[in-house]
Amino acid sequence: MKNNLHALWQLFFGDSARAFGSASVILLVLLAVAPAKNYFSEWRHYQKQYLHLIRGRADAVTLERHFQGGIQQIWIPEQQVTDRCTTCHLGMKEASLADVNSVAFREHPVIPHKLTEFGCTTCHRGQGAATTVEEAHSATEQWEQPLLPAKYIEAGCGQCHLENQTGTPFLNQGRQLIVSYGCTHCHTIKQGDGIYLTPDDDPPSLKHIADKTTREWVYAWIKDPQAYAGTATMPNYHLNDDDARDVSAFILAQSTPLEPPLQPLKADTKAPADPAAGTSLYGQSFCASCHAMQNAAGMMVGGNVGPELTGIGTKAKPEWLQDWVGNPSHYDPGTMMPHYRFDAQQVVTLTGFLESKTEPDFIANVHLDPATPEQIEHGKRLVVENGCASCHDINGIKKPENFAPELSRIGSKPLNQLIFVEGVEHSLPGYVAGKVRNPRAFGPSLKMPQFKFTPQQIDAVTTALLALTDRAQSQPPTMRIASVQQTRYQPAGNAGQLMRDLRCFTCHMINGHGGDMAPDLTWEGTAVQREWLTQFLKNPETLRPALIRRMPKFNLTDAEINTLADYMMTVYQTPEFDRDSLPVSQFNPAQVEQGRQLFYSKFACQSCHIADYKNDKGYIGPALAATGKRFNAAWVYHWLKDPQALRPGTIEPNQHMTDDDARSLTAFLMSLKSGGAQEATKK
Amino acid sequence: MTDPKDFVAVVDSDVRKTPRRIAFITKRTSPQVHVKDEERVMTYPEVFFRTAVAIQVLAIILVVISLRWNAPLEGLADPMHTPNPAKAPWYFLGLQELLHYFPPVVAGVLIPGLVVMALIVIPYFNINIEAEGLWLRDKTRRLRIFGTVVVLFCIFLAVFDVWVALVPTLIVAAFMLLAAQTPPQITRGFRGWLASKPLSFWIMTWFLFELVVLTAIGTFFRGPGWSWVWPWRT
Amino acid sequence: MANTLDRLADQVRENRIWRSIFRSGTGESNLHRALTVQQNVFLHLFSVKARKRTLEFRATWYLGALTFGTFLILVITGILLMLYYHPSVPQAYADMKDLQFVVSSGVFLRNLHRWSAHAMVFLVFAHMFKVFYRGAYRPPREFNWVIGVVLLLMTLLLSYTGYLLPWDQLAFWAVTVGSNIASAVPVIGAKMRFLMLGGTAVNANALLRFYVLHCVILPFAAVVLIAIHFWRIRKDGGIYPGESPAEGDAK
């Protein structure tokens, strides 16, 4: 045996020439391994599988004709896209492969974008250039951006689409949460279009906090805001008892009295005459349009524009409540709350009603000794360290700048710049979601507080954050679909002063400025009749009784109503047509009758609208029974011709009516003047 | 070294037949120098094929490595994102390690410059030509000089906190002392071998040792912020 | 079988074209073999005969030859890689991706080039220390030692310039670190760095400069120096035979 081996060795390596020959052969064989490896590469394997799959199908011939072997590539230089995904994902465009089990070969779900114009990685991320499964999909040493997990896929859309889209509810929700939870008080977020996200949570100023509430309440609140109100957006800083004691001491100590000072409580407000009167006034004033309150059954009823009022009696001092109800601007000039014109009795009634809404348990166990100067000093340091002034105005503390990391490109953050902790998935989405879920888990010394989010909200916020990528920042502007930006429109003159005092823009949008809770009033002057408008401003409560959110009654004087009506009728007109261009006198009964026919048969309007309360059951759109009293005929006519032209985004279908049909229908609608109830709205 | 008492230099006269060569004959060697033509082989094919086979074996190893392990490639260069730590290629990591201790002028310019200068001048100062053991003569004086130099150098390293360079220095110094303590009669074995080593051997060995240690530390034991990490604890 | 092969080989070597290239012919005699070396422009850098002792593995560990071997591999793979490489930003990096994923055996070529480069740096150092410990730098070989030191620097520069070419994070920051060291040189440091990078930062200019250095200037210089290095081995008396000839004779 040994001899044989020796002989073999001698044969191949016996002298240097033989060794040279043998080594050459070995080297050549090894060199041939590289091309062989190339030949047996993964993508060829998948192409064979695909061919095998389609050969068993009915439309094999068509599919095979579409099949192209070799490495496929979508190359879009201006977007830095070199995507070779279609090398293996061969069935992307084959409609007949929609039912295939294997994700690899299934048809891509129908989307409004063309594969050849956007590529794959633009939305899905991953490494487009790669031709192996591992490299293309996963995060490797060489590629930091793995495939986006399916639940965050809307982040892909959010890179270009800065506006709200119906197809991306998650993304929209996440963006809304980022704004309404005030993330951008501390974190700067600059979107791809260069616009900075601004928070709309409107945190209250603390400069006069001592006028409003007690130190005990402040202490309990900063310990756990959600214990006071489940809907509170203020995060939890997990302060220990001593720190909360000192912070509350400082917060109260820095407060200065209001100028002019609060009025002493009117004698008879201590015991409100009639609790029912308070409930009734709260309802009549439509406080619930903006404020939520737990009812007897424990259900939360009301809007989320203002703070929850379930325990307001525990929080607010009676003097402050009285002042606030009388005129909110006195305490907070920037408040979104309108200035109701309550008379003295109403103020007393409402204050008493609100005072009775208490949560005594909230501060029952809070006993604080008077603060020492050291505690106040320590509290101030804590307030500075925790960045309280990022959100709240505090006397003697400036709003910190760049308090938290900028998040404008968080969606492209390299993994090696992140510090992971146990329990957090080692990926960018895992990190972001972990930070949103429980920021303090990343280290006890971190400052970011704990927000109260549901798991679904966490995913939504993560989706919105993951959309903030390098690509979003650097892509050509033509790729970008801008979000609707608020204008800085302000009405002028006395009427403008009045509208600001009434905070019309909290709910109404005019010329691109304002809220979206109530109808857009930009062209209200063209749409409605002056008489109706004055009547409505005087007594708006009858409109839309089925909704919680309604226009409140501000108790305006006749002079104020005239000012408002004059201004609106004069200024808020569309330049497209004249509101008096279609006098009602033109219409004849035949037209009205023809319109009725059109309404009930040709266009079947009654499926959504009500023209006659006795017979019609359409509740999708607004009731039209009082159209003749409310609207101008010209507006109705143009609305029927093209609703979207007057109100972009309305769900009223454009029926492409002929001029005659529209005219007849207008004649019919203008004949509807249902007496007592003005049940018509614009929508 | 030109002292005729020590040894005699002889130049072989037949430069046409064999290359010029110098023999240094010290007193301790036999005065008779036995010169004989060595066995020689033809460059072609013997040297040629042997070299070729050696290169081929190396190529085979490299090809196997290349088939098995991919060369590193990280993300696209991004001047905005500095990796931590930012490391130079491995053969410069010894230098980078020194940069951690000394100002750039010293670690980045002075030390490498001196090393290159030293390497160039080695053959011109007849270093190691004697190839005489460092401690064979004049031991007391040399020990004194050696001690002073080592202690001063170690203090210098300690002042700059360069412990990683200090340890190899001490180890080499310890071996030198061991060699110095070797009785002259021992000429065989490890100690005999140590005792026969000249100064140049010690300096070069120290340099090699430092080079390997510093490079290894820079490569494996340095993490974020050039802090010390254990490679097996990642 | 063997006879047939031999005859075939003979026929090739007796061929007129073959003879016009290799004039020495097929003889087994030392004259023929000597002529093979003398008449070959590359081989004539070496002497016709070598001491048998110097061919033993323990004499040199073949470190010089192996270093030269890595250099050959690097030249070959380097030229092939140049076919796929654009020294521009950020195309250079995209080319790395293409090499990895699309070019046939591209990743193998790059691996071989990269690992051989590391091997060469290592072997150059090893060669140097081996030469030192054998004492092979002593006169008359002192100048060849100096050339060797220059070749060491040349190898480091070749490797360092090549390090930047993939234009990835590793490359960029390694070169940034290195070039910052250069600026520590007193007085002319900043100027040196500017000259080296073709600007004040590692950018497209630096990439182009490193590319030209890596693919043209340094390899050319290295080839010339290697030729001199080899030539001097012969002129300085062949590979150093060892400290004591007497010891060799004793065997």
Side-chain angles (χ1 to χ4, degrees), chain A residues 101-159:
Chain A
N101 282 329
S102 156
V103 183
F105 303 136
R106 199 186 296 157
E107 189 215 6
H108 193 284
V110 178
I111 47 164
H113 294 312
K114 267 193 190 156
L115 207 58
T116 43
E117 283 170 11
F118 288 87
C120 311
T121 52
T122 311
C123 305
H124 287 276
R125 308 195 190 169
Q127 186 174 187
T131 51
T132 63
V133 174
E134 167 81 17
E135 294 272 1
H137 301 92
S138 316
T140 63
E141 190 189 353
Q142 312 172 20
W143 199 262
E144 291 270 354
Q145 296 277 333
L147 213 61
L148 203 57
K151 72 172 168 181
Y152 304 121
I153 191 67
E154 287 170 22
C157 315
Q159 297 175 108

Coordinates of all heavy atoms in Angstrom, one line a residue, chain A residues 101-159:
Chain A
N101 N -49.4 29.6 -6.3 CA -49.1 29.6 -4.9 C -47.8 30.3 -4.6 O -47.6 31.0 -3.6 CB -49.0 28.1 -4.4 CG -50.4 27.6 -4.2 OD1 -51.3 28.4 -3.9 ND2 -50.6 26.3 -4.4
S102 N -46.8 30.0 -5.4 CA -45.4 30.5 -5.1 C -45.4 32.0 -5.3 O -45.7 32.5 -6.4 CB -44.4 29.8 -6.0 OG -43.3 30.6 -6.1
V103 N -45.0 32.7 -4.2 CA -44.9 34.2 -4.3 C -43.9 34.6 -5.4 O -44.1 35.6 -6.1 CB -44.5 34.8 -3.0 CG1 -44.5 36.3 -3.0 CG2 -45.4 34.3 -1.9
A104 N -42.9 33.7 -5.6 CA -41.9 34.1 -6.5 C -42.4 34.3 -7.9 O -41.9 35.1 -8.7 CB -40.8 33.0 -6.5
F105 N -43.4 33.5 -8.3 CA -43.8 33.6 -9.7 C -45.2 34.2 -9.9 O -45.7 34.2 -11.0 CB -43.8 32.1 -10.3 CG -42.5 31.5 -10.2 CD1 -42.4 30.2 -9.8 CD2 -41.4 32.2 -10.5 CE1 -41.2 29.5 -9.7 CE2 -40.1 31.6 -10.4 CZ -40.0 30.2 -10.0
R106 N -45.9 34.6 -8.8 CA -47.2 35.1 -8.9 C -47.2 36.4 -9.6 O -46.3 37.2 -9.6 CB -47.8 35.2 -7.5 CG -49.3 35.3 -7.5 CD -49.8 35.5 -6.1 NE -49.5 34.4 -5.2 CZ -49.5 34.5 -3.9 NH1 -49.7 35.7 -3.3 NH2 -49.2 33.5 -3.1
E107 N -48.4 36.7 -10.2 CA -48.5 38.1 -10.8 C -48.5 39.1 -9.7 O -49.0 38.9 -8.6 CB -49.9 38.1 -11.5 CG -50.0 39.4 -12.4 CD -51.5 39.9 -12.4 OE1 -52.3 39.3 -11.7 OE2 -51.7 40.9 -13.1
H108 N -47.9 40.3 -10.0 CA -48.0 41.4 -9.0 C -49.4 41.9 -8.9 O -50.0 42.1 -9.9 CB -47.0 42.5 -9.5 CG -46.7 43.5 -8.4 ND1 -47.6 44.5 -8.1 CD2 -45.7 43.6 -7.6 CE1 -47.1 45.2 -7.1 NE2 -45.9 44.7 -6.8
P109 N -49.9 42.2 -7.7 CA -51.2 42.8 -7.6 C -51.3 44.0 -8.4 O -50.3 44.8 -8.5 CB -51.4 43.0 -6.1 CG -50.4 42.2 -5.5 CD -49.3 41.9 -6.4
V110 N -52.5 44.3 -8.9 CA -52.6 45.5 -9.8 C -52.3 46.8 -9.0 O -52.9 47.0 -7.9 CB -54.0 45.5 -10.4 CG1 -54.1 46.8 -11.3 CG2 -54.2 44.3 -11.2
I111 N -51.4 47.6 -9.5 CA -51.1 48.9 -8.8 C -51.1 49.9 -9.9 O -51.0 49.6 -11.1 CB -49.8 48.9 -8.1 CG1 -48.7 48.3 -9.0 CG2 -49.9 48.2 -6.8 CD1 -47.3 48.6 -8.5
P112 N -51.3 51.2 -9.6 CA -51.3 52.2 -10.6 C -50.0 52.5 -11.2 O -49.9 53.4 -12.1 CB -51.8 53.5 -9.9 CG -52.1 53.1 -8.5 CD -51.5 51.8 -8.2
H113 N -48.9 51.8 -10.8 CA -47.6 52.1 -11.3 C -47.1 51.0 -12.3 O -47.4 49.9 -12.0 CB -46.6 52.3 -10.2 CG -46.8 53.5 -9.3 ND1 -47.1 54.7 -9.8 CD2 -46.9 53.6 -8.0 CE1 -47.3 55.5 -8.8 NE2 -47.2 54.9 -7.7
K114 N -46.3 51.4 -13.3 CA -45.7 50.4 -14.2 C -44.4 50.0 -13.6 O -43.6 50.8 -13.2 CB -45.5 51.1 -15.6 CG -46.7 50.9 -16.5 CD -46.3 51.2 -17.9 CE -47.4 51.3 -18.8 NZ -47.2 52.1 -20.0
L115 N -44.2 48.7 -13.7 CA -42.9 48.1 -13.3 C -41.7 48.7 -13.9 O -40.7 49.0 -13.3 CB -43.0 46.6 -13.6 CG -42.2 45.7 -12.8 CD1 -42.6 45.8 -11.3 CD2 -42.4 44.2 -13.3
T116 N -41.9 49.0 -15.2 CA -40.8 49.5 -16.0 C -40.5 51.0 -15.7 O -39.4 51.5 -16.1 CB -41.0 49.3 -17.5 OG1 -42.4 49.7 -17.7 CG2 -40.8 47.9 -17.9
E117 N -41.4 51.6 -15.1 CA -41.2 53.1 -14.8 C -40.7 53.3 -13.4 O -40.1 54.3 -13.0 CB -42.5 53.9 -15.0 CG -42.8 54.1 -16.4 CD -44.2 54.7 -16.6 OE1 -44.8 55.1 -15.6 OE2 -44.6 54.7 -17.8
F118 N -41.0 52.4 -12.5 CA -40.6 52.6 -11.1 C -39.7 51.5 -10.5 O -39.1 51.7 -9.5 CB -41.9 52.6 -10.2 CG -42.7 53.8 -10.4 CD1 -43.6 53.9 -11.4 CD2 -42.5 54.9 -9.6 CE1 -44.3 55.1 -11.6 CE2 -43.2 56.1 -9.8 CZ -44.1 56.2 -10.8
G119 N -39.6 50.4 -11.2 CA -38.7 49.3 -10.7 C -39.4 48.7 -9.5 O -40.6 48.9 -9.2
C120 N -38.6 47.8 -8.8 CA -39.2 47.1 -7.6 C -38.7 47.7 -6.3 O -39.5 47.9 -5.4 CB -38.8 45.7 -7.7 SG -39.0 44.9 -9.3
T121 N -37.4 48.0 -6.3 CA -36.8 48.4 -5.0 C -37.3 49.8 -4.6 O -37.1 50.2 -3.4 CB -35.3 48.4 -5.0 OG1 -34.9 49.1 -6.2 CG2 -34.8 46.9 -5.2
T122 N -37.8 50.6 -5.5 CA -38.3 51.9 -5.2 C -39.3 51.8 -4.0 O -39.3 52.6 -3.1 CB -38.9 52.5 -6.4 OG1 -38.0 52.4 -7.5 CG2 -39.2 54.0 -6.2
C123 N -40.2 50.8 -4.1 CA -41.2 50.7 -3.1 C -40.8 49.6 -2.0 O -40.9 49.8 -0.8 CB -42.5 50.3 -3.7 SG -43.1 51.5 -4.9
H124 N -40.3 48.5 -2.6 CA -40.1 47.3 -1.7 C -38.7 47.4 -1.0 O -38.6 46.6 0.0 CB -40.2 46.0 -2.5 CG -41.6 45.7 -2.9 ND1 -42.4 45.0 -2.1 CD2 -42.2 46.0 -4.1 CE1 -43.6 44.9 -2.8 NE2 -43.5 45.4 -3.9
R125 N -37.8 48.2 -1.4 CA -36.4 48.1 -1.0 C -35.8 46.8 -1.3 O -36.3 46.0 -2.1 CB -36.3 48.5 0.5 CG -37.1 49.8 0.8 CD -36.8 50.4 2.1 NE -37.7 51.5 2.3 CZ -37.9 52.2 3.4 NH1 -37.2 51.9 4.4 NH2 -38.8 53.1 3.4
G126 N -34.7 46.4 -0.5 CA -34.0 45.3 -0.9 C -32.9 45.7 -1.9 O -32.8 46.9 -2.2
Q127 N -32.1 44.7 -2.2 CA -30.9 45.0 -3.1 C -31.3 44.6 -4.5 O -31.2 43.5 -4.9 CB -29.7 44.3 -2.6 CG -28.4 44.7 -3.4 CD -27.2 44.1 -2.9 OE1 -26.1 44.5 -3.3 NE2 -27.3 43.2 -1.9
G128 N -31.6 45.6 -5.4 CA -32.1 45.3 -6.7 C -31.0 44.7 -7.6 O -31.3 43.9 -8.4
A129 N -29.8 45.1 -7.3 CA -28.7 44.6 -8.2 C -28.4 43.1 -8.0 O -27.8 42.5 -8.8 CB -27.5 45.4 -8.0
A130 N -28.9 42.6 -6.9 CA -28.4 41.2 -6.5 C -29.2 40.2 -7.3 O -30.3 40.4 -7.7 CB -28.7 41.0 -5.0
T131 N -28.5 39.0 -7.5 CA -29.1 37.9 -8.2 C -29.2 36.7 -7.4 O -29.3 35.6 -7.9 CB -28.4 37.7 -9.5 OG1 -27.0 37.5 -9.2 CG2 -28.6 38.8 -10.5
T132 N -29.0 36.8 -6.1 CA -29.2 35.7 -5.2 C -30.3 36.0 -4.2 O -30.5 37.2 -3.8 CB -27.9 35.3 -4.4 OG1 -27.6 36.4 -3.6 CG2 -26.8 35.0 -5.3
V133 N -31.0 35.0 -3.7 CA -32.1 35.2 -2.8 C -31.7 36.0 -1.6 O -32.3 37.0 -1.2 CB -32.8 33.9 -2.4 CG1 -33.8 34.1 -1.4 CG2 -33.4 33.2 -3.6
E134 N -30.6 35.5 -0.9 CA -30.1 36.0 0.3 C -29.8 37.5 0.1 O -30.2 38.4 0.9 CB -28.9 35.2 0.7 CG -28.0 35.9 1.8 CD -28.6 35.6 3.2 OE1 -29.5 34.7 3.3 OE2 -28.2 36.3 4.1
E135 N -29.0 37.8 -0.9 CA -28.5 39.2 -1.1 C -29.6 40.1 -1.4 O -29.6 41.3 -1.1 CB -27.4 39.2 -2.2 CG -26.2 38.4 -1.8 CD -25.2 39.3 -1.1 OE1 -25.5 40.5 -0.8 OE2 -24.1 38.8 -0.7
A136 N -30.6 39.6 -2.2 CA -31.6 40.5 -2.7 C -32.6 40.9 -1.6 O -33.1 42.0 -1.6 CB -32.3 39.9 -3.9
H137 N -32.9 39.9 -0.7 CA -34.0 40.2 0.2 C -33.5 40.6 1.6 O -34.2 41.4 2.3 CB -34.8 38.9 0.3 CG -35.4 38.5 -1.0 ND1 -34.8 37.6 -1.8 CD2 -36.6 38.8 -1.6 CE1 -35.6 37.4 -2.8 NE2 -36.7 38.1 -2.7
S138 N -32.4 40.1 2.0 CA -32.0 40.3 3.4 C -31.0 41.4 3.6 O -30.4 41.9 2.7 CB -31.4 39.0 4.0 OG -32.1 37.9 3.5
A139 N -30.9 41.8 4.9 CA -29.8 42.7 5.2 C -28.5 41.9 5.3 O -28.5 41.0 6.0 CB -30.1 43.4 6.5
T140 N -27.5 42.3 4.6 CA -26.2 41.7 4.7 C -25.2 42.7 5.0 O -25.6 43.9 5.2 CB -25.8 41.0 3.3 OG1 -25.7 42.1 2.4 CG2 -26.9 40.1 2.8
E141 N -24.0 42.3 5.2 CA -22.9 43.2 5.5 C -22.8 44.3 4.5 O -22.5 45.4 4.8 CB -21.6 42.4 5.6 CG -20.5 43.2 6.2 CD -19.2 42.5 6.0 OE1 -19.2 41.3 5.6 OE2 -18.2 43.0 6.4
Q142 N -23.2 43.9 3.2 CA -23.0 44.8 2.1 C -24.2 45.7 1.9 O -24.1 46.7 1.2 CB -22.7 44.1 0.9 CG -21.6 43.0 1.1 CD -21.5 42.2 -0.2 OE1 -21.9 42.6 -1.3 NE2 -20.9 41.0 0.0
W143 N -25.3 45.3 2.4 CA -26.6 46.0 2.0 C -27.4 46.2 3.3 O -27.8 45.2 3.9 CB -27.3 45.2 0.9 CG -28.3 46.1 0.3 CD1 -29.6 46.2 0.5 CD2 -28.0 47.0 -0.8 NE1 -30.2 47.1 -0.3 CE2 -29.2 47.7 -1.1 CE3 -26.8 47.4 -1.4 CZ2 -29.3 48.7 -2.1 CZ3 -26.9 48.4 -2.4 CH2 -28.1 49.0 -2.7
E144 N -27.7 47.4 3.6 CA -28.3 47.7 4.9 C -29.8 47.7 4.8 O -30.5 47.6 5.8 CB -27.9 49.1 5.3 CG -26.4 49.1 5.7 CD -26.2 48.8 7.2 OE1 -27.3 48.6 7.9 OE2 -25.1 48.6 7.7
Q145 N -30.4 47.8 3.6 CA -31.8 48.0 3.4 C -32.4 46.7 2.9 O -32.5 46.5 1.7 CB -32.1 49.1 2.5 CG -31.6 50.5 2.9 CD -32.6 51.1 3.9 OE1 -33.8 50.9 3.8 NE2 -32.1 52.0 4.8
P146 N -32.9 45.9 3.8 CA -33.5 44.6 3.3 C -34.9 44.9 2.8 O -35.4 46.1 2.9 CB -33.6 43.8 4.5 CG -33.6 44.7 5.7 CD -32.9 45.9 5.2
L147 N -35.5 43.9 2.3 CA -36.9 44.0 1.8 C -37.8 44.6 2.9 O -37.7 44.1 4.1 CB -37.4 42.6 1.4 CG -38.4 42.5 0.3 CD1 -37.7 43.1 -1.0 CD2 -38.7 41.1 0.0
L148 N -38.7 45.5 2.6 CA -39.6 46.1 3.6 C -40.6 45.0 4.0 O -41.3 44.4 3.1 CB -40.2 47.3 3.0 CG -40.8 48.3 3.9 CD1 -39.8 48.9 4.8 CD2 -41.4 49.4 3.0
P149 N -40.8 44.7 5.3 CA -41.8 43.8 5.7 C -43.2 44.2 5.2 O -43.5 45.4 5.1 CB -41.8 43.8 7.2 CG -40.4 44.3 7.5 CD -40.1 45.3 6.4
A150 N -44.0 43.2 4.9 CA -45.3 43.5 4.2 C -46.1 44.5 5.0 O -46.8 45.4 4.4 CB -46.1 42.2 4.0
K151 N -46.1 44.4 6.3 CA -47.0 45.3 7.1 C -46.6 46.8 7.0 O -47.4 47.6 7.4 CB -47.1 44.8 8.5 CG -46.0 45.0 9.4 CD -46.4 44.6 10.8 CE -45.2 44.5 11.8 NZ -45.6 44.1 13.1
Y152 N -45.3 47.0 6.6 CA -44.9 48.4 6.5 C -44.9 48.9 5.1 O -44.3 49.9 4.8 CB -43.6 48.6 7.2 CG -43.5 48.2 8.6 CD1 -42.6 47.2 9.0 CD2 -44.3 48.8 9.5 CE1 -42.5 46.9 10.3 CE2 -44.2 48.4 10.9 CZ -43.4 47.5 11.3 OH -43.3 47.1 12.6
I153 N -45.5 48.1 4.2 CA -45.2 48.4 2.7 C -45.7 49.7 2.3 O -45.2 50.3 1.4 CB -45.9 47.3 1.9 CG1 -45.5 47.4 0.4 CG2 -47.4 47.3 2.0 CD1 -44.0 47.1 0.2
E154 N -46.7 50.3 3.1 CA -47.1 51.6 2.7 C -46.1 52.7 2.8 O -46.2 53.8 2.3 CB -48.4 52.0 3.5 CG -49.6 51.3 3.1 CD -50.8 51.4 4.1 OE1 -50.8 52.4 4.8 OE2 -51.6 50.5 4.1
A155 N -45.0 52.4 3.6 CA -43.9 53.3 3.7 C -43.3 53.6 2.3 O -42.8 54.6 2.0 CB -42.8 52.8 4.6
G156 N -43.3 52.5 1.5 CA -42.8 52.7 0.1 C -43.6 53.8 -0.6 O -43.0 54.7 -1.3
C157 N -44.9 53.8 -0.5 CA -45.8 54.8 -1.1 C -45.4 56.2 -0.6 O -45.4 57.2 -1.3 CB -47.2 54.6 -0.9 SG -47.7 52.8 -1.1
G158 N -45.2 56.3 0.8 CA -45.0 57.5 1.4 C -43.8 58.3 1.0 O -43.6 59.5 1.4
Q159 N -42.9 57.6 0.3 CA -41.7 58.3 -0.1 C -42.0 59.4 -1.2 O -41.4 60.5 -1.2 CB -40.7 57.4 -0.7 CG -40.2 56.3 0.3 CD -39.3 55.3 -0.4 OE1 -38.1 55.3 -0.2 NE2 -39.9 54.5 -1.2

